Amino acid sequence: MIRQIVAFVENRKGIVRQAATVLREEGVRICGLSTVDSPEFGIVRMITDDPDRALSGLANAGFVAKECEVIAVQMGANDDIEPLLRVIEDGNVNINYFYSSFGDDGQTPVLILNAADMDETEALLANHGFTCLGSRICGSGLRD
């Protein structure tokens, strides 16, 4: 599993850029990003190369942020997501959310997901031949 940063932000123009600027100034690279909004607030989910520094930098800049674990599944360049979704459905796994990103090479698709039972989900995927990445997907390449 990997560490994901979750920032809760006002839903206003430029707020995601402001968070990204804070991280850039902290020397943190974002390599996965997803946003969800409502009329008043938004949720920004990020995979970074330094979660500790990202949390600290965001907090110091006044952002409300936390971390949680997610599963990163390496997909082949031509892989179809349907077989993975079938394994999840057949395994009776409840997925809370997922989004796509890329590995450090900028070409290898990576699916980031959060499930009700993370350990069970990771084991299920691994047992069906999917490559679940370890602690990092950005920084110095894909690693287990």
Side-chain angles (χ1 to χ4, degrees), residues 2-141:
I2 60 172
R3 296 166 60 198
Q4 172 186 257
I5 304 303
V6 182
F8 302 93
V9 298
E10 285 183 73
N11 188 359
R12 64 180 168 83
K13 183 178 178 179
I15 195 71
V16 175
R17 184 206 45 82
Q18 289 174 14
T21 298
V22 166
L23 295 183
R24 181 179 45 80
E25 290 171 352
E26 291 290 323
V28 176
R29 190 167 73 88
I30 300 170
C31 60
L33 179 73
S34 171
T35 62
V36 179
D37 72 336
S38 70
E40 296 168 4
F41 70 93
I43 299 171
V44 181
R45 294 182 174 105
M46 297 173 273
I47 306 299
T48 69
D49 65 348
D50 191 335
D52 292 325
R53 202 165 35 184
L55 275 174
S56 174
L58 289 169
N60 290 339
F63 287 92
V64 176
K66 67 175 192 161
E67 77 172 67
C68 66
E69 289 188 325
V70 290
I71 299 168
V73 183
Q74 184 173 333
M75 307 292 288
N78 297 316
D79 284 354
D80 182 353
I81 194 171
E82 192 275 335
L84 182 139
L85 295 175
R86 182 175 305 280
V87 166
I88 288 171
E89 180 182 356
D90 291 348
N92 200 29
V93 171
N94 182 30
I95 297 295
N96 297 323
Y97 59 84
F98 63 90
Y99 58 96
S100 61
S101 184
F102 289 92
D104 209 33
D105 63 6
Q107 297 180 15
T108 304
V110 176
L111 183 72
I112 309 295
L113 64 93
N114 181 280
D117 187 326
M118 297 288 284
D119 291 327
E120 178 184 318
T121 303
E122 189 173 49
L124 175 72
L125 292 170
N127 289 338
H128 282 84
F130 291 95
T131 302
C132 296
L133 304 174
S135 60
R136 296 179 67 150
I137 65 167
C138 63
S140 57

